[in-house]
Amino acid sequence: MLISSYNQAGMGDVLVLLTAPQSGATHSERKGDIVRLTNEKNETIGYNVLNVSQLLDLGDVAGQIQLDADQVAILNQAINAVGFTGDLVVDTDPKFVVGYVESAEPHPDSDHLQVTTTQIGNGETLQLVSGSPNMKAGIKVVVAKVGAMMPSGLIIWPGALRGVESNGMIVSGRELALPNAPQQPGALILPDDFAEVGTPFDAKAPAAQALFE
């Protein structure tokens, strides 16, 4: 897994790379313009690449970006050059997709959570636990898959809610920072003809921006 983010206005010319969840204390070691991030077991969980514009042209992006194979190869070369082991693996799988809630059942240990089976395209389904009050079977939604970074900066990792595994999240318009989205809890329910299940969802695209007009 490779989660990449860049925000020159907010953080300077630094590319943030995460390859595993951050749990417990995080340690860092800098060599040149590469900062290796490790967990308590000295396992690599990511890198910060300083002065990254000297290596890559990332433009004016602000937030999560998907690096292509050539960009990842350049980063691995830079990591190796300073004495770390460049082991980044390219990940171009879309992280926000149109989903379809196939089933929604009460959580065995909660009176407000539901356990859904949600289609995400190509015959793949995910078990997603949702607390949305409007959750039900038979609706199209937006799924943030494992590895997605929300506009708030929250990263979606595999997890569990009250003992039930949840491999992603069904998101709301508010969480996607869509214009005029309701500010109360509730999944974003897409029109049936919005797009096919599995289609990447771009919150900045005109069709998404117009959902609450």
Side-chain angles (χ1 to χ4, degrees):
M1 183 180 300
L2 179 59
I3 302 170
S4 313
S5 66
Y6 183 70
N7 185 345
Q8 187 171 24
M11 296 185 60
D13 192 19
V14 180
L15 177 65
V16 178
L17 304 169
L18 294 177
T19 58
Q22 296 170 286
S23 59
T26 299
H27 306 281
S28 63
E29 179 184 4
R30 178 174 176 177
K31 294 182 179 181
D33 281 340
I34 307 295
V35 180
R36 177 182 176 237
L37 306 175
T38 58
N39 60 19
E40 294 174 337
K41 298 179 180 179
N42 199 35
E43 298 167 330
T44 300
I45 60 172
Y47 297 92
N48 290 338
V49 183
L50 313 182
N51 302 309
V52 69
S53 61
Q54 297 179 13
L55 298 174
L56 304 175
D57 180 6
L58 300 177
D60 59 356
V61 66
Q64 184 172 19
I65 57 176
Q66 287 192 316
L67 302 171
D68 62 30
D70 290 340
Q71 291 172 318
V72 171
I74 290 170
L75 291 170
N76 277 329
Q77 185 177 28
I79 292 168
N80 287 327
V82 298
F84 293 128
T85 300
D87 54 3
L88 303 176
V89 178
V90 65
D91 181 2
T92 57
D93 184 41
K95 301 306 178 188
F96 294 90
V97 299
V98 175
Y100 177 79
V101 180
E102 188 176 282
S103 66
E105 303 293 338
H107 190 290
D109 190 33
S110 171
D111 59 3
H112 72 280
L113 297 175
Q114 295 189 68
V115 182
T116 78
T117 299
T118 301
Q119 300 174 13
I120 58 168
N122 297 318
E124 186 179 357
T125 61
L126 295 176
Q127 178 171 283
L128 304 173
V129 178
S130 174
S132 296
N134 60 343
M135 185 52 55
K136 61 183 179 179
I139 57 174
K140 275 188 176 179
V141 294
V142 178
V143 174
K145 297 163 64 176
V146 169
M149 178 181 289
M150 304 298 295
S152 66
L154 172 71
I155 296 174
I156 307 301
W157 298 106
L161 290 174
R162 292 188 175 236
V164 176
E165 291 186 3
S166 186
N167 294 303
M169 185 170 73
I170 296 172
V171 299
S172 68
R174 176 184 60 175
E175 290 166 328
L176 291 168
L178 295 178
N180 304 314
Q183 294 304 297
Q184 64 266 22
L188 169 59
I189 299 178
L190 297 172
D192 289 340
D193 61 354
F194 183 84
E196 295 294 322
V197 173
T199 302
F201 182 88
D202 180 359
K204 296 181 180 180
Q209 292 281 299
L211 281 168
F212 294 103
E213 286 185 348

